PDB file of all heavy atoms in Angstrom:
ATOM      1  N   LEU A  17      65.760 120.066  76.639  1.00 98.00           N
ATOM      2  CA  LEU A  17      64.925 120.510  77.749  1.00 98.00           C
ATOM      3  C   LEU A  17      64.503 121.962  77.603  1.00 98.00           C
ATOM      4  O   LEU A  17      65.254 122.798  77.075  1.00 98.00           O
ATOM      5  CB  LEU A  17      65.656 120.297  79.069  1.00 98.00           C
ATOM      6  CG  LEU A  17      65.653 118.838  79.551  1.00 98.00           C
ATOM      7  CD1 LEU A  17      66.752 118.602  80.574  1.00 98.00           C
ATOM      8  CD2 LEU A  17      64.299 118.473  80.120  1.00 98.00           C
ATOM      9  N   LYS A  18      63.302 122.230  78.071  1.00 98.00           N
ATOM     10  CA  LYS A  18      62.717 123.570  77.997  1.00 98.00           C
ATOM     11  C   LYS A  18      62.393 124.040  79.413  1.00 98.00           C
ATOM     12  O   LYS A  18      62.171 123.215  80.312  1.00 98.00           O
ATOM     13  CB  LYS A  18      61.422 123.520  77.185  1.00 98.00           C
ATOM     14  CG  LYS A  18      61.573 122.951  75.788  1.00 98.00           C
ATOM     15  CD  LYS A  18      60.219 122.841  75.103  1.00 98.00           C
ATOM     16  CE  LYS A  18      60.344 122.236  73.717  1.00 98.00           C
ATOM     17  NZ  LYS A  18      59.013 122.118  73.057  1.00 98.00           N
ATOM     18  N   PRO A  19      62.310 125.340  79.623  1.00 97.00           N
ATOM     19  CA  PRO A  19      61.940 125.839  80.963  1.00 97.00           C
ATOM     20  C   PRO A  19      60.626 125.249  81.465  1.00 97.00           C
ATOM     21  O   PRO A  19      60.476 125.019  82.671  1.00 97.00           O
ATOM     22  CB  PRO A  19      61.844 127.343  80.750  1.00 97.00           C
ATOM     23  CG  PRO A  19      62.819 127.623  79.650  1.00 97.00           C
ATOM     24  CD  PRO A  19      62.699 126.442  78.721  1.00 97.00           C
ATOM     25  N   GLU A  20      59.701 124.987  80.562  1.00 97.00           N
ATOM     26  CA  GLU A  20      58.406 124.425  80.981  1.00 97.00           C
ATOM     27  C   GLU A  20      58.505 122.966  81.421  1.00 97.00           C
ATOM     28  O   GLU A  20      57.518 122.398  81.907  1.00 97.00           O
ATOM     29  CB  GLU A  20      57.364 124.570  79.870  1.00 97.00           C
ATOM     30  CG  GLU A  20      57.803 124.062  78.525  1.00 97.00           C
ATOM     31  CD  GLU A  20      58.327 125.180  77.619  1.00 97.00           C
ATOM     32  OE1 GLU A  20      59.107 126.029  78.115  1.00 97.00           O
ATOM     33  OE2 GLU A  20      57.969 125.171  76.419  1.00 97.00           O
ATOM     34  N   ASP A  21      59.665 122.350  81.275  1.00 98.00           N
ATOM     35  CA  ASP A  21      59.876 121.001  81.802  1.00 98.00           C
ATOM     36  C   ASP A  21      60.246 121.024  83.287  1.00 98.00           C
ATOM     37  O   ASP A  21      60.355 119.964  83.916  1.00 98.00           O
ATOM     38  CB  ASP A  21      60.996 120.287  81.035  1.00 98.00           C
ATOM     39  CG  ASP A  21      60.635 120.017  79.586  1.00 98.00           C
ATOM     40  OD1 ASP A  21      59.483 119.629  79.315  1.00 98.00           O
ATOM     41  OD2 ASP A  21      61.518 120.203  78.720  1.00 98.00           O
ATOM     42  N   THR A  22      60.439 122.207  83.832  1.00 98.00           N
ATOM     43  CA  THR A  22      60.774 122.340  85.247  1.00 98.00           C
ATOM     44  C   THR A  22      59.660 121.779  86.119  1.00 98.00           C
ATOM     45  O   THR A  22      58.498 122.156  85.987  1.00 98.00           O
ATOM     46  CB  THR A  22      61.026 123.811  85.606  1.00 98.00           C
ATOM     47  OG1 THR A  22      62.179 124.276  84.901  1.00 98.00           O
ATOM     48  CG2 THR A  22      61.241 123.981  87.104  1.00 98.00           C
ATOM     49  N   ALA A  23      60.019 120.832  86.984  1.00 98.00           N
ATOM     50  CA  ALA A  23      59.028 120.159  87.826  1.00 98.00           C
ATOM     51  C   ALA A  23      59.751 119.173  88.733  1.00 98.00           C
ATOM     52  O   ALA A  23      60.941 118.891  88.550  1.00 98.00           O
ATOM     53  CB  ALA A  23      58.002 119.414  86.975  1.00 98.00           C
ATOM     54  N   VAL A  24      59.002 118.621  89.675  1.00 98.00           N
ATOM     55  CA  VAL A  24      59.456 117.449  90.406  1.00 98.00           C
ATOM     56  C   VAL A  24      59.006 116.231  89.606  1.00 98.00           C
ATOM     57  O   VAL A  24      57.834 116.131  89.247  1.00 98.00           O
ATOM     58  CB  VAL A  24      58.883 117.404  91.829  1.00 98.00           C
ATOM     59  CG1 VAL A  24      59.331 116.131  92.542  1.00 98.00           C
ATOM     60  CG2 VAL A  24      59.328 118.630  92.619  1.00 98.00           C
ATOM     61  N   TYR A  25      59.934 115.349  89.336  1.00 98.00           N
ATOM     62  CA  TYR A  25      59.649 114.160  88.533  1.00 98.00           C
ATOM     63  C   TYR A  25      59.556 112.938  89.441  1.00 98.00           C
ATOM     64  O   TYR A  25      60.433 112.722  90.293  1.00 98.00           O
ATOM     65  CB  TYR A  25      60.737 113.954  87.486  1.00 98.00           C
ATOM     66  CG  TYR A  25      60.586 114.898  86.313  1.00 98.00           C
ATOM     67  CD1 TYR A  25      60.856 116.251  86.449  1.00 98.00           C
ATOM     68  CD2 TYR A  25      60.164 114.431  85.076  1.00 98.00           C
ATOM     69  CE1 TYR A  25      60.697 117.130  85.386  1.00 98.00           C
ATOM     70  CE2 TYR A  25      60.006 115.294  83.996  1.00 98.00           C
ATOM     71  CZ  TYR A  25      60.275 116.631  84.159  1.00 98.00           C
ATOM     72  OH  TYR A  25      60.113 117.495  83.098  1.00 98.00           O
ATOM     73  N   TYR A  26      58.500 112.170  89.223  1.00 98.00           N
ATOM     74  CA  TYR A  26      58.233 110.989  90.033  1.00 98.00           C
ATOM     75  C   TYR A  26      58.202 109.742  89.146  1.00 98.00           C
ATOM     76  O   TYR A  26      57.644 109.787  88.043  1.00 98.00           O
ATOM     77  CB  TYR A  26      56.879 111.092  90.720  1.00 98.00           C
ATOM     78  CG  TYR A  26      56.734 112.259  91.657  1.00 98.00           C
ATOM     79  CD1 TYR A  26      56.284 113.495  91.195  1.00 98.00           C
ATOM     80  CD2 TYR A  26      57.018 112.124  93.014  1.00 98.00           C
ATOM     81  CE1 TYR A  26      56.136 114.575  92.055  1.00 98.00           C
ATOM     82  CE2 TYR A  26      56.871 113.188  93.882  1.00 98.00           C
ATOM     83  CZ  TYR A  26      56.433 114.410  93.394  1.00 98.00           C
ATOM     84  OH  TYR A  26      56.292 115.474  94.256  1.00 98.00           O
ATOM     85  N   CYS A  27      58.758 108.658  89.644  1.00 98.00           N
ATOM     86  CA  CYS A  27      58.500 107.389  88.986  1.00 98.00           C
ATOM     87  C   CYS A  27      57.450 106.636  89.796  1.00 98.00           C
ATOM     88  O   CYS A  27      57.271 106.892  90.997  1.00 98.00           O
ATOM     89  CB  CYS A  27      59.767 106.560  88.801  1.00 98.00           C
ATOM     90  SG  CYS A  27      60.453 105.843  90.291  1.00 98.00           S
ATOM     91  N   ALA A  28      56.758 105.739  89.122  1.00 98.00           N
ATOM     92  CA  ALA A  28      55.662 105.020  89.746  1.00 98.00           C
ATOM     93  C   ALA A  28      55.551 103.632  89.129  1.00 98.00           C
ATOM     94  O   ALA A  28      55.960 103.426  87.981  1.00 98.00           O
ATOM     95  CB  ALA A  28      54.366 105.791  89.567  1.00 98.00           C
ATOM     96  N   ALA A  29      54.988 102.705  89.900  1.00 97.00           N
ATOM     97  CA  ALA A  29      54.869 101.313  89.459  1.00 97.00           C
ATOM     98  C   ALA A  29      53.409 100.880  89.422  1.00 97.00           C
ATOM     99  O   ALA A  29      52.671 101.092  90.396  1.00 97.00           O
ATOM    100  CB  ALA A  29      55.666 100.401  90.395  1.00 97.00           C
ATOM    101  N   SER A  30      53.026 100.283  88.311  1.00 96.00           N
ATOM    102  CA  SER A  30      51.666  99.800  88.118  1.00 96.00           C
ATOM    103  C   SER A  30      51.698  98.284  87.947  1.00 96.00           C
ATOM    104  O   SER A  30      52.307  97.786  86.990  1.00 96.00           O
ATOM    105  CB  SER A  30      51.057 100.445  86.882  1.00 96.00           C
ATOM    106  OG  SER A  30      49.777  99.921  86.614  1.00 96.00           O
ATOM    107  N   PRO A  31      51.055  97.537  88.852  1.00 94.00           N
ATOM    108  CA  PRO A  31      51.088  96.071  88.745  1.00 94.00           C
ATOM    109  C   PRO A  31      50.443  95.587  87.459  1.00 94.00           C
ATOM    110  O   PRO A  31      49.327  96.007  87.116  1.00 94.00           O
ATOM    111  CB  PRO A  31      50.291  95.606  89.963  1.00 94.00           C
ATOM    112  CG  PRO A  31      50.251  96.774  90.893  1.00 94.00           C
ATOM    113  CD  PRO A  31      50.274  97.985  90.017  1.00 94.00           C
ATOM    114  N   ASN A  32      51.124  94.692  86.764  1.00 89.00           N
ATOM    115  CA  ASN A  32      50.571  94.161  85.525  1.00 89.00           C
ATOM    116  C   ASN A  32      49.227  93.483  85.769  1.00 89.00           C
ATOM    117  O   ASN A  32      49.072  92.689  86.691  1.00 89.00           O
ATOM    118  CB  ASN A  32      51.542  93.141  84.912  1.00 89.00           C
ATOM    119  CG  ASN A  32      52.805  93.780  84.421  1.00 89.00           C
ATOM    120  OD1 ASN A  32      52.863  94.974  84.159  1.00 89.00           O
ATOM    121  ND2 ASN A  32      53.859  92.988  84.294  1.00 89.00           N
ATOM    122  N   GLY A  33      48.259  93.819  84.950  1.00 87.00           N
ATOM    123  CA  GLY A  33      46.978  93.145  84.983  1.00 87.00           C
ATOM    124  C   GLY A  33      45.968  93.690  85.975  1.00 87.00           C
ATOM    125  O   GLY A  33      44.809  93.269  85.963  1.00 87.00           O
ATOM    126  N   ARG A  34      46.376  94.592  86.838  1.00 91.00           N
ATOM    127  CA  ARG A  34      45.441  95.088  87.850  1.00 91.00           C
ATOM    128  C   ARG A  34      44.522  96.173  87.299  1.00 91.00           C
ATOM    129  O   ARG A  34      43.388  96.327  87.736  1.00 91.00           O
ATOM    130  CB  ARG A  34      46.197  95.621  89.061  1.00 91.00           C
ATOM    131  CG  ARG A  34      45.275  96.189  90.147  1.00 91.00           C
ATOM    132  CD  ARG A  34      46.034  96.497  91.392  1.00 91.00           C
ATOM    133  NE  ARG A  34      46.602  95.287  92.001  1.00 91.00           N
ATOM    134  CZ  ARG A  34      47.354  95.294  93.108  1.00 91.00           C
ATOM    135  NH1 ARG A  34      47.637  96.430  93.700  1.00 91.00           N
ATOM    136  NH2 ARG A  34      47.812  94.180  93.605  1.00 91.00           N
ATOM    137  N   TYR A  35      45.030  96.927  86.341  1.00 91.00           N
ATOM    138  CA  TYR A  35      44.273  98.051  85.792  1.00 91.00           C
ATOM    139  C   TYR A  35      44.121  97.876  84.277  1.00 91.00           C
ATOM    140  O   TYR A  35      44.863  97.103  83.658  1.00 91.00           O
ATOM    141  CB  TYR A  35      44.987  99.363  86.109  1.00 91.00           C
ATOM    142  CG  TYR A  35      45.148  99.604  87.593  1.00 91.00           C
ATOM    143  CD1 TYR A  35      46.365  99.365  88.222  1.00 91.00           C
ATOM    144  CD2 TYR A  35      44.090 100.048  88.360  1.00 91.00           C
ATOM    145  CE1 TYR A  35      46.517  99.569  89.582  1.00 91.00           C
ATOM    146  CE2 TYR A  35      44.227 100.258  89.721  1.00 91.00           C
ATOM    147  CZ  TYR A  35      45.445 100.012  90.324  1.00 91.00           C
ATOM    148  OH  TYR A  35      45.584 100.227  91.670  1.00 91.00           O
ATOM    149  N   PRO A  36      43.179  98.574  83.672  1.00 89.00           N
ATOM    150  CA  PRO A  36      43.019  98.460  82.219  1.00 89.00           C
ATOM    151  C   PRO A  36      44.321  98.768  81.492  1.00 89.00           C
ATOM    152  O   PRO A  36      45.101  99.619  81.922  1.00 89.00           O
ATOM    153  CB  PRO A  36      41.942  99.502  81.908  1.00 89.00           C
ATOM    154  CG  PRO A  36      41.173  99.635  83.169  1.00 89.00           C
ATOM    155  CD  PRO A  36      42.160  99.446  84.275  1.00 89.00           C
ATOM    156  N   THR A  37      44.526  98.090  80.375  1.00 81.00           N
ATOM    157  CA  THR A  37      45.791  98.226  79.661  1.00 81.00           C
ATOM    158  C   THR A  37      46.026  99.631  79.135  1.00 81.00           C
ATOM    159  O   THR A  37      47.159 100.004  78.888  1.00 81.00           O
ATOM    160  CB  THR A  37      45.857  97.237  78.497  1.00 81.00           C
ATOM    161  OG1 THR A  37      44.715  97.431  77.666  1.00 81.00           O
ATOM    162  CG2 THR A  37      45.866  95.804  78.999  1.00 81.00           C
ATOM    163  N   ASN A  38      44.973 100.413  78.956  1.00 88.00           N
ATOM    164  CA  ASN A  38      45.143 101.766  78.428  1.00 88.00           C
ATOM    165  C   ASN A  38      45.163 102.819  79.532  1.00 88.00           C
ATOM    166  O   ASN A  38      44.932 103.999  79.275  1.00 88.00           O
ATOM    167  CB  ASN A  38      44.045 102.095  77.424  1.00 88.00           C
ATOM    168  CG  ASN A  38      42.673 102.054  78.062  1.00 88.00           C
ATOM    169  OD1 ASN A  38      42.521 101.616  79.193  1.00 88.00           O
ATOM    170  ND2 ASN A  38      41.661 102.519  77.343  1.00 88.00           N
ATOM    171  N   SER A  39      45.440 102.390  80.762  1.00 93.00           N
ATOM    172  CA  SER A  39      45.416 103.325  81.885  1.00 93.00           C
ATOM    173  C   SER A  39      46.802 103.814  82.281  1.00 93.00           C
ATOM    174  O   SER A  39      46.973 104.429  83.333  1.00 93.00           O
ATOM    175  CB  SER A  39      44.755 102.666  83.106  1.00 93.00           C
ATOM    176  OG  SER A  39      45.482 101.531  83.516  1.00 93.00           O
ATOM    177  N   TYR A  40      47.801 103.578  81.431  1.00 94.00           N
ATOM    178  CA  TYR A  40      49.177 103.891  81.783  1.00 94.00           C
ATOM    179  C   TYR A  40      49.391 105.375  82.061  1.00 94.00           C
ATOM    180  O   TYR A  40      50.368 105.753  82.700  1.00 94.00           O
ATOM    181  CB  TYR A  40      50.127 103.442  80.666  1.00 94.00           C
ATOM    182  CG  TYR A  40      49.782 104.034  79.324  1.00 94.00           C
ATOM    183  CD1 TYR A  40      50.229 105.299  78.967  1.00 94.00           C
ATOM    184  CD2 TYR A  40      48.999 103.340  78.420  1.00 94.00           C
ATOM    185  CE1 TYR A  40      49.902 105.855  77.748  1.00 94.00           C
ATOM    186  CE2 TYR A  40      48.667 103.890  77.193  1.00 94.00           C
ATOM    187  CZ  TYR A  40      49.116 105.146  76.870  1.00 94.00           C
ATOM    188  OH  TYR A  40      48.787 105.688  75.665  1.00 94.00           O
ATOM    189  N   ALA A  41      48.535 106.250  81.559  1.00 96.00           N
ATOM    190  CA  ALA A  41      48.703 107.689  81.771  1.00 96.00           C
ATOM    191  C   ALA A  41      47.914 108.211  82.969  1.00 96.00           C
ATOM    192  O   ALA A  41      47.924 109.415  83.231  1.00 96.00           O
ATOM    193  CB  ALA A  41      48.287 108.452  80.515  1.00 96.00           C
ATOM    194  N   GLN A  42      47.266 107.325  83.676  1.00 96.00           N
ATOM    195  CA  GLN A  42      46.399 107.731  84.780  1.00 96.00           C
ATOM    196  C   GLN A  42      47.067 107.474  86.122  1.00 96.00           C
ATOM    197  O   GLN A  42      47.565 106.377  86.392  1.00 96.00           O
ATOM    198  CB  GLN A  42      45.078 106.950  84.716  1.00 96.00           C
ATOM    199  CG  GLN A  42      44.372 107.035  83.379  1.00 96.00           C
ATOM    200  CD  GLN A  42      44.066 108.438  82.970  1.00 96.00           C
ATOM    201  OE1 GLN A  42      43.670 109.270  83.793  1.00 96.00           O
ATOM    202  NE2 GLN A  42      44.266 108.747  81.702  1.00 96.00           N
ATOM    203  N   LYS A  43      47.037 108.487  86.985  1.00 97.00           N
ATOM    204  CA  LYS A  43      47.683 108.339  88.294  1.00 97.00           C
ATOM    205  C   LYS A  43      47.085 107.192  89.105  1.00 97.00           C
ATOM    206  O   LYS A  43      47.807 106.501  89.844  1.00 97.00           O
ATOM    207  CB  LYS A  43      47.567 109.655  89.072  1.00 97.00           C
ATOM    208  CG  LYS A  43      48.340 110.816  88.457  1.00 97.00           C
ATOM    209  CD  LYS A  43      48.339 112.040  89.348  1.00 97.00           C
ATOM    210  CE  LYS A  43      46.988 112.658  89.504  1.00 97.00           C
ATOM    211  NZ  LYS A  43      46.529 113.283  88.233  1.00 97.00           N
ATOM    212  N   TYR A  44      45.785 106.962  88.966  1.00 96.00           N
ATOM    213  CA  TYR A  44      45.131 105.933  89.790  1.00 96.00           C
ATOM    214  C   TYR A  44      45.655 104.538  89.492  1.00 96.00           C
ATOM    215  O   TYR A  44      45.500 103.625  90.306  1.00 96.00           O
ATOM    216  CB  TYR A  44      43.608 105.968  89.587  1.00 96.00           C
ATOM    217  CG  TYR A  44      43.128 105.348  88.290  1.00 96.00           C
ATOM    218  CD1 TYR A  44      43.008 103.961  88.168  1.00 96.00           C
ATOM    219  CD2 TYR A  44      42.780 106.134  87.203  1.00 96.00           C
ATOM    220  CE1 TYR A  44      42.569 103.387  86.983  1.00 96.00           C
ATOM    221  CE2 TYR A  44      42.332 105.568  86.022  1.00 96.00           C
ATOM    222  CZ  TYR A  44      42.236 104.196  85.903  1.00 96.00           C
ATOM    223  OH  TYR A  44      41.813 103.639  84.738  1.00 96.00           O
ATOM    224  N   ALA A  45      46.272 104.343  88.335  1.00 97.00           N
ATOM    225  CA  ALA A  45      46.740 103.015  87.936  1.00 97.00           C
ATOM    226  C   ALA A  45      48.098 102.650  88.532  1.00 97.00           C
ATOM    227  O   ALA A  45      48.628 101.579  88.262  1.00 97.00           O
ATOM    228  CB  ALA A  45      46.810 102.924  86.414  1.00 97.00           C
ATOM    229  N   TYR A  46      48.662 103.530  89.323  1.00 97.00           N
ATOM    230  CA  TYR A  46      49.984 103.287  89.900  1.00 97.00           C
ATOM    231  C   TYR A  46      49.861 103.159  91.411  1.00 97.00           C
ATOM    232  O   TYR A  46      49.375 104.071  92.090  1.00 97.00           O
ATOM    233  CB  TYR A  46      50.942 104.425  89.522  1.00 97.00           C
ATOM    234  CG  TYR A  46      51.243 104.420  88.035  1.00 97.00           C
ATOM    235  CD1 TYR A  46      50.393 105.043  87.132  1.00 97.00           C
ATOM    236  CD2 TYR A  46      52.370 103.772  87.539  1.00 97.00           C
ATOM    237  CE1 TYR A  46      50.643 105.016  85.767  1.00 97.00           C
ATOM    238  CE2 TYR A  46      52.642 103.746  86.188  1.00 97.00           C
ATOM    239  CZ  TYR A  46      51.769 104.373  85.302  1.00 97.00           C
ATOM    240  OH  TYR A  46      52.034 104.341  83.956  1.00 97.00           O
ATOM    241  N   ASP A  47      50.327 102.031  91.922  1.00 96.00           N
ATOM    242  CA  ASP A  47      50.189 101.738  93.342  1.00 96.00           C
ATOM    243  C   ASP A  47      51.368 102.243  94.168  1.00 96.00           C
ATOM    244  O   ASP A  47      51.224 102.421  95.385  1.00 96.00           O
ATOM    245  CB  ASP A  47      50.069 100.223  93.559  1.00 96.00           C
ATOM    246  CG  ASP A  47      48.731  99.680  93.077  1.00 96.00           C
ATOM    247  OD1 ASP A  47      47.892 100.464  92.604  1.00 96.00           O
ATOM    248  OD2 ASP A  47      48.528  98.448  93.173  1.00 96.00           O
ATOM    249  N   TYR A  48      52.508 102.412  93.544  1.00 96.00           N
ATOM    250  CA  TYR A  48      53.714 102.789  94.276  1.00 96.00           C
ATOM    251  C   TYR A  48      54.369 103.991  93.615  1.00 96.00           C
ATOM    252  O   TYR A  48      54.432 104.061  92.385  1.00 96.00           O
ATOM    253  CB  TYR A  48      54.698 101.617  94.329  1.00 96.00           C
ATOM    254  CG  TYR A  48      54.096 100.366  94.899  1.00 96.00           C
ATOM    255  CD1 TYR A  48      53.674  99.335  94.066  1.00 96.00           C
ATOM    256  CD2 TYR A  48      53.920 100.221  96.272  1.00 96.00           C
ATOM    257  CE1 TYR A  48      53.094  98.193  94.584  1.00 96.00           C
ATOM    258  CE2 TYR A  48      53.345  99.076  96.793  1.00 96.00           C
ATOM    259  CZ  TYR A  48      52.934  98.073  95.948  1.00 96.00           C
ATOM    260  OH  TYR A  48      52.366  96.940  96.470  1.00 96.00           O
ATOM    261  N   TRP A  49      54.864 104.889  94.471  1.00 97.00           N
ATOM    262  CA  TRP A  49      55.463 106.133  93.987  1.00 97.00           C
ATOM    263  C   TRP A  49      56.790 106.388  94.692  1.00 97.00           C
ATOM    264  O   TRP A  49      56.959 106.073  95.878  1.00 97.00           O
ATOM    265  CB  TRP A  49      54.526 107.313  94.265  1.00 97.00           C
ATOM    266  CG  TRP A  49      53.258 107.248  93.468  1.00 97.00           C
ATOM    267  CD1 TRP A  49      52.136 106.513  93.753  1.00 97.00           C
ATOM    268  CD2 TRP A  49      52.986 107.938  92.253  1.00 97.00           C
ATOM    269  NE1 TRP A  49      51.186 106.709  92.786  1.00 97.00           N
ATOM    270  CE2 TRP A  49      51.674 107.587  91.852  1.00 97.00           C
ATOM    271  CE3 TRP A  49      53.707 108.833  91.465  1.00 97.00           C
ATOM    272  CZ2 TRP A  49      51.091 108.086  90.693  1.00 97.00           C
ATOM    273  CZ3 TRP A  49      53.127 109.326  90.320  1.00 97.00           C
ATOM    274  CH2 TRP A  49      51.829 108.949  89.937  1.00 97.00           C
ATOM    275  N   GLY A  50      57.712 106.999  93.959  1.00 98.00           N
ATOM    276  CA  GLY A  50      58.940 107.461  94.572  1.00 98.00           C
ATOM    277  C   GLY A  50      58.735 108.821  95.229  1.00 98.00           C
ATOM    278  O   GLY A  50      57.641 109.388  95.175  1.00 98.00           O
ATOM    279  N   GLN A  51      59.808 109.335  95.816  1.00 97.00           N
ATOM    280  CA  GLN A  51      59.714 110.603  96.541  1.00 97.00           C
ATOM    281  C   GLN A  51      59.892 111.807  95.625  1.00 97.00           C
ATOM    282  O   GLN A  51      59.627 112.942  96.020  1.00 97.00           O
ATOM    283  CB  GLN A  51      60.767 110.652  97.661  1.00 97.00           C
ATOM    284  CG  GLN A  51      62.168 111.067  97.233  1.00 97.00           C
ATOM    285  CD  GLN A  51      62.886 110.034  96.374  1.00 97.00           C
ATOM    286  OE1 GLN A  51      62.455 108.893  96.256  1.00 97.00           O
ATOM    287  NE2 GLN A  51      64.004 110.435  95.789  1.00 97.00           N
TER     288      GLN A  51
END
C-alpha cells in the first residue's frame, strides 16, 4: 500500500447482462453500492 491509496473504498454490484460487457470500470454500470 502507498499513501496515494488513501480513500474511501466502495464495493458495487452490476447485474449480469444489463450493461455492455466492457463497462466494468464505469460507475454507471453498477446499480448497487455499499456505504
Side-chain angles (χ1 to χ4, degrees):
L17 283 161
K18 304 176 182 179
E20 51 263 44
D21 294 319
T22 295
V24 177
Y25 283 71
Y26 299 89
C27 72
S30 176
N32 292 339
R34 179 171 296 178
Y35 300 101
T37 55
N38 62 350
S39 61
Y40 56 84
Q42 307 302 320
K43 294 187 293 291
Y44 76 80
Y46 292 85
D47 289 359
Y48 305 101
W49 293 81
Q51 82 290 348

